Amino acid sequence: MSSNGFHIPLEKIEEARERIAPYTRRTPMLPPPLVHRDIPQRLHLKLENLQVSGSFKARGVFNTLLQLDPEQRSRGAVTASGGNHGLALAYAASRLGMPATVYLPARASEDRVARIARYGARVIKHGDAWDDANAKALEHAANENLAYVPAFDGASVVEGQGTLGLEMIDDLPEIDCVLIAVGGGGLIAGVSAAIRQKKPDVTIIGVEPVGASSMHKSITAGHRVGMQQVRTIADTLSPKSVSDLTYGVTSQYCDRVHLIDDRQMVQAMRWLWAECNQLVEPAGAAVIAALLDGGLDIGKYTAPTAIICGGNAAAESVFTAYQQAADMLSGIN
Amino acid sequence: MSSNGFHIPLEKIEEARERIAPYTRRTPMLPPPLVHRDIPQRLHLKLENLQVSGSFKARGVFNTLLQLDPEQRSRGAVTASGGNHGLALAYAASRLGMPATVYLPARASEDRVARIARYGARVIKHGDAWDDANAKALEHAANENLAYVPAFDGASVVEGQGTLGLEMIDDLPEIDCVLIAVGGGGLIAGVSAAIRQKKPDVTIIGVEPVGASSMHKSITAGHRVGMQQVRTIADTLSPKSVSDLTYGVTSQYCDRVHLIDDRQMVQAMRWLWAECNQLVEPAGAAVIAALLDGGLDIGKYTAPTAIICGGNAAAESVFTAYQQAADMLSGIN
């Protein structure tokens, strides 16, 4: 048990790993060599953008839904999401044959809405920020007695995300530093709890957008601090505040939180595309953004690993352009 | 030795594998489960779009350049390419510290030109089709006594591509069917030679655009047949003709060639994005296009594998849109 009362036991993460295994992917580490020469050649990339539903969120969602009793399952589940958590819930509910409702902030991109709707979930847009949509989702769940699946503020969700940490130790037993993007803090809480309970000497570095930096502010202040307003293109990293749980766990294990800005994330998206043809959303590139232009120095580690946490970029423009080219060519055939 | 005189010995492919290992990636198979339910759930995807330089072409190029003598290396190499082979040559030459010149057809996309130039290669646009650019590259190489690296019509290139076949057998020893896109035929010649010499019962299926179907026509006719004109959005699958070598080897091992059209390739690009967040070029999605809408039936195989051969899609529109969003948000910060 930890000093501040928040604890994610290793056994729970190990149970989660077994529970979700039939439904999720053991994602690959990018095999060497690196093409770029501008970052340490020992860097490993855990390509979690290849996870089902396109992000690590599927881990926590499956771990939660698979623990519902049959009656709860048949009634269905509700959540609120900046995008990836909602997509994971929609996919998992479809896979398990459950109804699902996803609340999104009004500004959520059409690309995300379409992806969620494709899995048969009901999508409701509400409010300006994730926090507004989440309040409505909680109300909906209470009124209709449905299971509410938290985006990050729940032990079963954090334990599910922690399975990624166990996998990384198996992938790379000599791992000595992990870079993890921070939104609501579910990923860093779960992964750092998993890794540090098995390998206490691994350095854990969080990476957070400067315009949505609740974890950085909280760790600096020594208590949870929210923001009045968030401003970043990384819509999946933008709740106004981390939770007591995610802050409480992360503050025990995380060595530091490094801040990045939106332009660095776009530069890092281009870097990943040139490195290994992975098109990812801004949040998925955040850990790379921290390393470019000499921002964060990881030169002293022998097996540092960056988690590419999500890939759901708005890519429709690419398909539309190829579709037009195909239509044009076939029209003159 | 084969009946028609063309043969790629297994030992040569094994030597190539050892030779190129420090410079190329052992690319991952997509881990289960599949998200889609519209194709056989036993299908494996070999994600060769994660190869250095974004396609399988790096294998053949490294295998060729690494066999040049020091004097040839210092003079440099020349090639002609629809895109991916040129990119592979530019990357490999940069990695090995050699000068490189790449001829491209005039209609090559700016995206491809920029990628090749980024590795320091000289880019020259010439002619309407790959074949025109190639004639010029051969002339250049002869005049200046430079090493010419064929895009597909050379034993060292085919042997290099064959290393992908050896890897797939190691990845999945029970493999019993392989789907391979066909352009100039270097990939299918190398992979089918590798696999069938080790596992004679594996079914080899080529997939070719109907608008650039030289291999299909050749196998049907029983001798090499070129096309007057090619028409497909899959610019990396569009030479006017396969070569005597690639036809000669492929005709011994390939069970059938399945034809697909451009619209099916775009549909398959969307499928791959939804399945595992892999954005690939039309050629990389060709093998999936063959399976959608019940086109090609692989239901009888227990471990069928599709090679996702290249990922170099024109993705600039995505980065530009995110860049604009970042600029806008930071401007009002």
Side-chain angles (χ1 to χ4, degrees):
Chain A
M1 182 57 73
S2 80
S3 55
N4 65 16
F6 291 101
H7 181 56
I8 298 293
L10 187 58
E11 313 80 71
K12 289 284 201 178
I13 304 174
E14 285 166 343
E15 286 168 26
R17 188 180 191 182
E18 198 164 330
R19 185 178 294 120
I20 70 174
Y23 303 96
T24 55
R25 293 178 181 148
R26 176 170 177 171
T27 50
M29 286 278 196
L30 183 71
L34 285 183
V35 164
H36 283 94
R37 304 268 134 185
D38 56 354
I39 60 164
Q41 292 297 297
R42 297 179 301 278
L43 183 71
H44 291 73
L45 305 183
K46 177 69 168 175
L47 298 177
E48 186 69 5
N49 58 311
L50 281 155
Q51 188 51 267
V52 294
S53 83
S55 82
F56 70 91
K57 293 283 192 179
R59 297 175 185 263
V61 166
F62 271 111
N63 192 45
T64 303
L65 295 184
L66 289 166
Q67 293 181 75
L68 296 178
D69 66 38
E71 200 206 320
Q72 287 174 306
R73 269 211 211 184
S74 69
R75 280 202 304 273
V78 179
T79 198
S81 169
N84 285 341
H85 174 66
L87 184 58
L89 181 73
Y91 171 67
S94 149
R95 185 78 182 72
L96 300 174
M98 293 174 55
T101 302
V102 178
Y103 283 82
L104 290 174
R107 65 182 161 73
S109 75
E110 283 311 305
D111 184 84
R112 287 191 195 282
V113 173
R115 275 199 174 212
I116 293 171
R118 197 177 305 140
Y119 289 117
R122 183 177 167 205
V123 177
I124 303 176
K125 286 191 174 187
H126 181 83
D128 288 336
W130 171 81
D131 310 75
D132 307 312
N134 192 46
K136 202 75 181 175
L138 280 163
E139 191 186 309
H140 182 138
N143 287 346
E144 302 191 16
N145 191 23
L146 302 178
Y148 165 77
V149 182
F152 51 87
D153 188 26
S156 65
V157 169
V158 172
E159 288 153 12
Q161 322 307 30
T163 63
L164 180 51
L166 298 183
E167 245 178 60
M168 289 164 64
I169 292 175
D170 288 350
D171 292 340
L172 190 69
E174 67 273 30
I175 193 166
D176 62 351
C177 173
V178 183
L179 275 61
I180 312 174
V182 181
L187 180 63
I188 193 168
V191 170
S192 67
I195 289 180
R196 287 286 280 266
Q197 288 179 78
K198 291 202 79 155
K199 288 178 67 88
D201 293 336
V202 174
T203 298
I204 306 286
I205 301 176
V207 178
E208 201 174 33
V210 68
S213 52
S214 168
M215 186 68 85
H216 183 268
K217 286 186 196 306
S218 301
I219 286 179
T220 304
H223 57 86
R224 186 171 68 84
V225 179
M227 299 182 75
Q228 289 291 319
Q229 201 186 357
V230 291
R231 186 173 285 170
T232 171
I233 59 167
D235 56 351
T236 54
L237 299 180
S238 60
K240 286 179 184 165
S241 180
V242 295
S243 75
D244 289 331
L245 171 65
T246 61
Y247 164 67
V249 174
T250 303
S251 62
Q252 296 163 52
Y253 298 121
C254 177
D255 295 278
R256 56 191 284 209
V257 177
H258 182 87
L259 297 178
I260 47 146
D261 69 24
D262 286 355
R263 290 177 181 184
Q264 291 171 314
M265 279 189 274
V266 177
Q267 187 189 349
M269 288 169 68
R270 291 181 186 273
W271 188 98
L272 274 166
W273 182 244
E275 178 61 42
C276 52
N277 286 72
Q278 297 303 286
L279 177 64
V280 304
E281 62 194 271
V287 287
I288 298 299
L291 298 175
L292 298 181
D293 298 333
L296 178 68
D297 183 3
I298 55 165
K300 71 175 175 181
Y301 299 103
T302 55
T305 304
I307 300 175
I308 308 303
C309 63
N312 294 321
E316 182 54 34
S317 60
V318 178
F319 303 118
T320 303
Y322 278 104
Q323 184 71 56
Q324 285 169 349
D327 290 349
M328 205 180 70
L329 273 184
S330 68
I332 54 172
N333 260 338
Chain B
M1 183 56 72
S2 78
S3 55
N4 65 19
F6 292 101
H7 181 55
I8 298 292
L10 186 58
E11 313 82 69
K12 288 286 201 174
I13 303 174
E14 285 165 343
E15 285 168 26
R17 188 180 190 181
E18 199 165 329
R19 185 178 295 121
I20 70 174
Y23 303 97
T24 55
R25 294 178 181 147
R26 177 170 175 169
T27 51
M29 285 279 196
L30 181 72
L34 284 183
V35 164
H36 282 93
R37 303 269 135 187
D38 56 354
I39 58 163
Q41 292 297 296
R42 296 179 301 278
L43 183 70
H44 291 73
L45 305 184
K46 177 70 169 174
L47 298 177
E48 186 68 6
N49 57 311
L50 281 155
Q51 188 52 265
V52 295
S53 83
S55 82
F56 70 91
K57 292 285 192 179
R59 297 174 184 264
V61 166
F62 272 111
N63 191 45
T64 303
L65 295 184
L66 289 166
Q67 293 181 74
L68 296 177
D69 65 40
E71 199 206 321
Q72 286 175 307
R73 270 212 211 183
S74 69
R75 281 201 304 272
V78 179
T79 198
S81 170
N84 285 340
H85 173 66
L87 185 58
L89 181 73
Y91 170 67
S94 149
R95 185 77 181 71
L96 299 174
M98 291 174 55
T101 302
V102 178
Y103 282 83
L104 291 174
R107 67 183 161 72
S109 75
E110 282 313 305
D111 185 85
R112 288 192 195 281
V113 172
R115 277 198 173 214
I116 293 171
R118 195 178 306 139
Y119 289 117
R122 182 176 168 207
V123 177
I124 302 175
K125 287 191 174 187
H126 180 84
D128 289 335
W130 171 81
D131 311 74
D132 307 312
N134 192 48
K136 201 76 180 174
L138 281 164
E139 190 185 310
H140 182 138
N143 287 345
E144 303 191 16
N145 192 22
L146 301 177
Y148 166 78
V149 183
F152 52 87
D153 188 26
S156 65
V157 169
V158 171
E159 287 153 12
Q161 321 308 28
T163 63
L164 179 51
L166 297 183
E167 246 178 60
M168 290 165 64
I169 292 175
D170 287 350
D171 292 340
L172 190 68
E174 67 272 31
I175 194 167
D176 62 350
C177 173
V178 184
L179 276 61
I180 312 174
V182 181
L187 180 63
I188 194 168
V191 170
S192 66
I195 291 181
R196 287 287 280 269
Q197 288 179 77
K198 290 202 79 155
K199 288 178 68 85
D201 293 337
V202 175
T203 298
I204 305 286
I205 302 176
V207 178
E208 200 173 34
V210 67
S213 52
S214 167
M215 187 69 85
H216 184 268
K217 285 187 196 305
S218 299
I219 287 179
T220 304
H223 58 88
R224 186 170 70 83
V225 179
M227 298 181 75
Q228 289 291 320
Q229 200 186 358
V230 292
R231 186 173 285 169
T232 171
I233 59 167
D235 55 352
T236 53
L237 299 181
S238 60
K240 286 180 184 166
S241 180
V242 295
S243 75
D244 288 331
L245 170 66
T246 61
Y247 163 68
V249 174
T250 303
S251 62
Q252 296 164 52
Y253 298 121
C254 176
D255 295 279
R256 55 191 283 207
V257 177
H258 183 87
L259 297 178
I260 46 146
D261 68 26
D262 286 355
R263 291 178 179 182
Q264 291 172 314
M265 280 189 272
V266 177
Q267 187 189 350
M269 288 169 68
R270 291 182 186 274
W271 188 99
L272 274 166
W273 182 243
E275 178 62 42
C276 52
N277 285 72
Q278 297 302 288
L279 177 64
V280 304
E281 62 195 88
V287 287
I288 299 299
L291 297 174
L292 299 180
D293 299 332
L296 178 69
D297 183 3
I298 55 166
K300 71 174 175 181
Y301 299 103
T302 56
T305 303
I307 300 175
I308 309 303
C309 62
N312 295 321
E316 181 54 34
S317 59
V318 178
F319 303 118
T320 303
Y322 278 104
Q323 184 70 56
Q324 286 169 348
D327 290 349
M328 205 180 69
L329 272 184
S330 68
I332 55 174
N333 258 338

